[in-house]
């Protein structure tokens, strides 16, 4: 499982969500758009996580529980 950039709650941001980011197996299509859509999990809706998307950027994706 790949991890995404996160910021600790001590820095004023929410702690990362406990679920894991899905594995991105290239050469499959990257998850989401090839641009940064978030910086931390708290910027994602519902229970989605801010994860690496396969093209060097991060996107809000459905996590693996």
């Amino acid at each position: 499982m790949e991890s995404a950039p996160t910021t600790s709650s001590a820095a004023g941001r929410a702690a990362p969500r406990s679920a894991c980011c899905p594995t991105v197996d290239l050469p499959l299509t990257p998850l989401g758009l090839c641009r940064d859509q978030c910086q931390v999990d708290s910027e994602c809706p519902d229970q989605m996580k801010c994860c690496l998307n396969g093209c060097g950027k991060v996107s809000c994706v459905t996590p693996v529980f």
Side-chain angles (χ1 to χ4, degrees):
M1 309 277 161
E2 295 186 37
S3 61
T6 57
T7 304
S8 70
S9 56
R13 293 263 176 120
R17 296 187 175 138
S18 61
C20 298
C21 290
T23 301
V24 179
D25 295 322
L26 297 177
L28 297 176
T29 305
L31 301 171
L33 301 174
C34 195
R35 63 183 173 114
D36 289 323
Q37 295 180 309
C38 55
Q39 292 181 347
V40 293
D41 292 343
S42 62
E43 294 177 344
C44 297
D46 303 318
Q47 294 299 310
M48 295 182 88
K49 284 189 65 73
C50 188
C51 300
L52 295 173
N53 62 13
C55 68
K57 303 294 183 179
V58 289
S59 300
C60 293
V61 299
T62 302
V64 177
F65 291 96

